[in-house]
Amino acid sequence: MPVIRKSADLRNNYSEISDFCHNYKEPVFITKNGQGDLAVMGIETYEEMNGKLELYQKILLGLTQIKNGETISEEKMMKKIKKYAGL
């Protein structure tokens, strides 16, 4: 169940909202004039979410490349990896 707070709560109860975000690793939705306005979350939660999004985008790119036949052999890939790593 999402946690929804008024914008005044963000100003008046910042520590409480911050503690909730860090302890439960969930966003708090802030309303302004009764309408959704912001989603507030801890930086750790944001970084984890953003990391997952980047991973999903890379997986999708890989699947698209496979579908389009844009692949190379394991041997060629290992050569590229060794060259990149300076081996």
Side-chain angles (χ1 to χ4, degrees):
M1 186 90 178
V3 174
I4 302 171
R5 304 286 292 262
K6 296 177 183 178
S7 59
D9 288 344
L10 185 59
R11 181 177 52 252
N12 299 328
N13 300 307
Y14 177 85
S15 293
E16 180 184 321
I17 293 172
S18 176
D19 289 345
F20 176 87
C21 289
H22 291 290
N23 292 333
Y24 293 97
K25 310 261 188 264
E26 293 182 19
V28 174
F29 298 97
I30 306 296
T31 63
K32 182 177 179 181
N33 299 324
Q35 299 294 316
D37 186 48
L38 299 171
V40 178
M41 66 181 76
I43 192 72
E44 300 88 6
T45 303
Y46 171 80
E47 289 174 347
E48 181 181 334
M49 185 180 66
N50 198 47
K52 287 179 183 178
L53 181 59
E54 288 177 10
L55 176 61
Y56 297 153
Q57 289 172 334
K58 289 179 181 183
I59 290 171
L60 181 59
L61 174 62
L63 292 172
T64 301
Q65 289 172 329
I66 290 169
K67 182 179 177 182
N68 294 336
E70 301 168 8
T71 61
I72 62 173
S73 70
E74 178 184 356
E75 183 179 325
K76 286 182 180 180
M77 189 69 225
M78 290 307 296
K79 285 181 183 179
K80 284 186 170 197
I81 290 172
K82 288 178 182 179
K83 181 179 179 182
Y84 179 76
L87 302 176

